[in-house]
């Protein structure tokens, strides 16, 4: 069975109450259970981690190489700042999809640039919690054809 690592970056543990006008009212727990449901339906195994710590995310990606077939990541604020997470993804060579709940291009200018986008297969943004499900579906499609 294919294994996919799902990484939620900083402050995503606060979903549900965090700026609901931007991120909605869906909690991280609810997002995770819909990801689990999709994974069961499509017969892949997922491991889900949330961390507020950049170095922990770098370590997770570094150790993912021989354990996971793909990564689904919402790097959250680190999207715009982390050369370290970008380099970890590039170094791992693991098939990775980046997702965002909001459309970062319609928000403040400092969010318009993703340091992560150039090293991932693709990015899905602006669809709220559905961004995660679309991202997972896309990864599974790619894994099944490769
Ligand atoms: C986010 C967008 C980022 O700019 C922000 O820092 C987040 C969440 C999103 O999912 O829309 O924390 O990644």
């Amino acid at each position: 069975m294919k294994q996919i690592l799902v990484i939620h970056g900083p402050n995503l543990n606060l979903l549900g109450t965090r700026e609901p006008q931007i991120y909605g009212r869906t909690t991280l727990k609810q997002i995770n259970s819909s990801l689990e449901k999709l994974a069961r339906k499509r017969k892949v195994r997922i491991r889900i981690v949330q961390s507020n710590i950049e170095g922990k995310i770098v370590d997770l990606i570094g150790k993912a190489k021989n354990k996971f077939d793909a990564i689904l990541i919402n790097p959250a604020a680190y999207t715009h700042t982390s050369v370290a997470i970008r380099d970890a993804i590039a170094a791992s060579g693991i098939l990775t999809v980046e997702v965002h709940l909001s459309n970062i291009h319609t928000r403040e200018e400092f969010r318009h640039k993703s340091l992560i986008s150039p090293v991932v297969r693709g990015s899905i943004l602006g669809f709220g919690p559905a961004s995660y499900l679309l991202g997972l579906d896309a990864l599974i499609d790619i894994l099944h054809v490769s």
Side-chain angles (χ1 to χ4, degrees):
M1 207 182 251
K2 299 284 186 191
Q3 311 252 24
I4 298 173
L5 175 62
V6 178
I7 302 175
H8 302 287
N11 300 309
L12 294 172
N13 52 314
L14 304 175
L15 286 177
T17 55
R18 172 192 182 199
E19 298 182 274
Q21 70 286 4
I22 297 170
Y23 299 115
R25 297 249 174 225
T26 309
T27 63
L28 192 60
K29 204 170 159 210
Q30 289 168 327
I31 290 175
N32 289 343
S33 47
S34 46
L35 286 171
E36 297 280 10
K37 195 169 156 202
L38 178 61
R40 273 196 302 278
K41 186 173 140 210
R42 296 214 53 192
K43 297 183 173 41
V44 297
R45 198 164 286 152
I46 58 173
R47 174 159 176 250
I48 303 175
V49 186
Q50 188 278 326
S51 179
N52 294 328
I53 303 166
E54 184 177 20
K56 192 168 167 204
I57 297 172
V58 170
D59 279 345
L60 273 170
I61 297 166
K63 287 184 195 141
K65 197 165 175 54
N66 298 315
K67 283 199 239 154
F68 294 95
D69 300 290
I71 296 174
L72 182 69
I73 184 167
N74 182 348
Y78 291 139
T79 305
H80 319 293
T81 62
S82 182
V83 177
I85 292 175
R86 174 198 171 115
D87 285 354
I89 293 170
S92 77
I94 301 176
L95 171 67
T96 301
V97 164
E98 170 195 15
V99 298
H100 299 282
L101 296 147
S102 64
N103 180 347
I104 57 177
H105 302 292
T106 60
R107 300 183 59 196
E108 304 95 323
E109 197 162 346
F110 68 87
R111 294 186 203 272
H112 293 182
K113 186 167 176 65
S114 166
L115 298 184
I116 309 302
S117 294
V119 296
V120 296
R121 176 69 73 97
S123 308
I124 296 173
L125 43 110
F127 298 103
S131 293
Y132 281 96
L133 298 171
L134 292 166
L136 182 59
D137 241 345
L139 276 179
I140 298 169
D141 284 349
I142 296 165
L143 287 174
H144 281 167
V145 294
S146 59

